[in-house]
Structure formats: C-alpha cells, structure tokens
Amino acid sequence: MIIYNYTADIKAAGNAFKFSYSPHVCSSSQLCKNGICMHDDWKCNGINECGDFTDEYNCTSAPTVLESSGVGVATFVLMLFIMFFTGVAVALAAPHLWRRVRSPRHYQSFGGPVDA
C-alpha cells in the first residue's frame, strides 16, 4: 500500500504543488487472501473490495447501508412536467396580462366611460 500526501501553497512562487508518497507495510489484518492490501475501514461494509470477498468474511454485524439522499426518477419526471407546463402557461398568459395592464381601456372599465 502506498500513502499519498498532497499539499498546495497558493502563495508560493514557482512550484506551488508538492506531492510525496511513502510505502506502507500491510499488517495481516489488512491483507486479503489474494494479496491485496486494503484499509481497515473497507472491511465488513458490504462491498467486495478484495475481489474474492475475503474482506466480508467473519463480520460480526450487517454492513452499513447508506440511505440515498436524492430524489426518485418518478419525482424528477413529475417535477419536469410541472415546470414545463408552468413555463408554457406563463409564456402564454404574460403577453395578454401585459397588454391588459398597459391598455387605457382597462382603467376606464372600472368606473364606466371617462368624460373628457
């Protein structure tokens, strides 16, 4: 396993990015049966990181499943239709309403004909 360290200094002139690495010796608890070295946090999470499922053997608890924070496809499609039809309604109604507000006849209709 190789541990990477990356730093950036935006105030430094010239080479502002520094990248270093160091080898890491895996302990027996971090080795899969096929020889892949992996982090301890990847064990018993329900995902086959080793490729041979040895990271999922001898687990005392069920894997933690993260809940989705997104919206479903049906909700997304419904919202698209609502936005589309709202846009069409506004596009059709806005010119009519604008003409009605700007028209002098609009103001005369409230109190009857205006005497000049």
Side-chain angles (χ1 to χ4, degrees), residues 24-61:
H24 174 76
V25 178
C26 286
S27 67
S28 61
S29 68
Q30 293 175 319
L31 280 175
C32 301
K33 285 193 179 187
N34 61 6
I36 294 176
C37 181
M38 58 170 229
H39 196 273
D40 287 330
D41 289 344
W42 297 347
K43 287 189 170 206
C44 300
N45 64 355
I47 302 170
N48 180 20
E49 279 94 6
C50 285
D52 60 1
F53 289 99
T54 54
D55 58 320
E56 304 303 319
Y57 290 159
N58 299 325
C59 295
T60 58
S61 62

Side-chain angles (χ1 to χ4, degrees), residues 2-114:
I2 297 177
I3 298 175
Y4 297 100
N5 184 15
Y6 169 79
T7 57
D9 184 7
I10 58 174
K11 294 181 182 180
N15 190 4
F17 300 103
K18 296 178 184 175
F19 180 77
S20 62
Y21 66 92
S22 60
H24 174 76
V25 178
C26 286
S27 67
S28 61
S29 68
Q30 293 175 319
L31 280 175
C32 301
K33 285 193 179 187
N34 61 6
I36 294 176
C37 181
M38 58 170 229
H39 196 273
D40 287 330
D41 289 344
W42 297 347
K43 287 189 170 206
C44 300
N45 64 355
I47 302 170
N48 180 20
E49 279 94 6
C50 285
D52 60 1
F53 289 99
T54 54
D55 58 320
E56 304 303 319
Y57 290 159
N58 299 325
C59 295
T60 58
S61 62
T64 305
V65 178
L66 299 176
E67 291 186 25
S68 172
S69 60
V71 296
V73 174
T75 304
F76 180 74
V77 171
L78 178 65
M79 293 306 296
L80 282 178
F81 278 120
I82 290 171
M83 288 186 289
F84 175 76
F85 289 117
T86 302
V88 169
V90 168
L92 293 175
H96 174 71
L97 293 173
W98 182 253
R99 281 192 301 269
R100 186 171 179 163
V101 168
R102 301 275 298 167
S103 172
R105 289 181 292 151
H106 174 69
Y107 299 110
Q108 293 172 1
S109 65
F110 286 117
V114 175

